[in-house]
């Protein structure tokens, strides 16, 4: 797995965000039985920067905790069966599946950890798992989709022993 991690937020964390991102992303791919090595780009930024991106790409003028930009489309969430048919889904140099981009708000990670009463590490890991599932075709618009996604997030974090 290749993760390109950029930290423009510039804060000292009580853990290595890049190492934790790799750990959670790999756990997500394993949990979903992804048959490919994959690439993900992760940007850690602040509220104002993520607000600008949210406005630009989603026409929503407010900050958010995480944005996910999937590169591929799936016949069903986590279904990698048709991905090989699209050569653009793979990096021609490495052969890795191009999953997409994740943008995280460091400000929201800190505030939500406090709001939800758990560690900053847990909030960061949760948002990576959440976004990785989006990159693999999951969503939470409908109640049954949300239930499926929440269950997967919880199971992945439990496998990593990252508790609330």
């Amino acid at each position: 797995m290749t993760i390109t991690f950029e930290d423009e937020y510039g804060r000292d964390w009580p853990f290595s965000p890049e190492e934790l991102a790799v750990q959670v992303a790999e756990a997500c791919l394993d949990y979903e039985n992804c048959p490919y090595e994959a690439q993900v780009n992760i940007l850690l930024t602040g509220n104002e920067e993520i607000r600008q991106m949210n406005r630009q790409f989603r026409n929503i003028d407010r900050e958010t905790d995480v944005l996910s930009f999937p590169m591929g489309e799936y016949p069903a969430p986590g279904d990698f069966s048709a991905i090989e048919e699209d050569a653009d889904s793979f990096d021609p140099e490495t052969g890795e599946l191009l999953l997409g981009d994740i943008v995280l708000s460091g400000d929201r990670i800190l505030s939500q950890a406090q709001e939800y009463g758990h560690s900053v590490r847990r909030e960061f890991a949760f948002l990576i798992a959440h976004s990785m599932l989006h990159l693999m075709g999951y969503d939470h618009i409908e109640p049954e989709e949300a239930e499926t996604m929440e269950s997967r997030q919880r199971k992945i974090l439990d496998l990593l022993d990252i508790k609330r």
Side-chain angles (χ1 to χ4, degrees):
M1 162 164 241
T2 301
I3 289 190
T4 304
F5 188 88
E6 183 179 351
D7 181 358
E8 65 179 34
Y9 190 61
R11 179 188 193 279
D12 287 331
W13 297 88
F15 55 89
S16 166
E18 186 170 4
E19 287 176 16
L20 184 56
V22 169
Q23 182 183 21
V24 174
E26 286 178 345
C28 290
L29 291 169
D30 289 345
Y31 188 83
E32 290 299 315
N33 297 310
C34 179
Y36 307 105
E37 289 296 312
Q39 280 185 32
V40 177
N41 300 308
I42 299 175
L43 173 63
L44 181 56
T45 193
N47 273 348
E48 188 51 41
E49 293 79 10
I50 207 166
R51 179 182 185 159
Q52 290 172 8
M53 289 180 196
N54 205 18
R55 182 175 48 240
Q56 179 182 355
F57 295 108
R58 298 178 63 223
N59 293 318
I60 299 173
D61 189 16
R62 68 174 185 268
E63 66 259 0
T64 188
D65 51 5
V66 64
L67 292 171
S68 308
F69 299 99
M71 292 290 288
E73 293 186 27
Y74 302 88
D79 180 354
F80 299 95
S81 64
I83 231 53
E84 278 189 26
E85 297 170 14
D86 183 6
D88 292 337
S89 294
F90 296 89
D91 183 314
E93 292 180 21
T94 66
E96 292 176 312
L97 175 62
L98 300 169
L99 276 182
D101 302 325
I102 297 171
V103 182
L104 301 158
S105 168
D107 295 315
R108 292 292 292 267
I109 291 168
L110 295 171
S111 67
Q112 287 177 179
Q114 184 174 9
E115 178 183 340
Y116 300 137
H118 54 241
S119 71
V120 172
R121 180 178 181 269
R122 196 271 179 197
E123 185 65 18
F124 182 91
F126 170 82
L127 292 175
I128 294 290
H130 180 86
S131 194
M132 284 294 295
L133 290 171
H134 276 309
L135 297 185
M136 292 184 278
Y138 289 90
D139 212 336
H140 47 81
I141 295 171
E142 300 297 325
E144 40 306 325
E145 293 174 331
E147 187 176 312
T148 297
M149 203 165 164
E150 289 166 12
S151 172
R152 282 180 146 64
Q153 291 163 169
R154 189 173 38 258
K155 288 175 183 172
I156 290 163
L157 295 180
D158 284 349
L159 287 170
L160 295 170
D161 199 30
I162 299 174
K163 309 285 186 201
R164 284 196 120 162

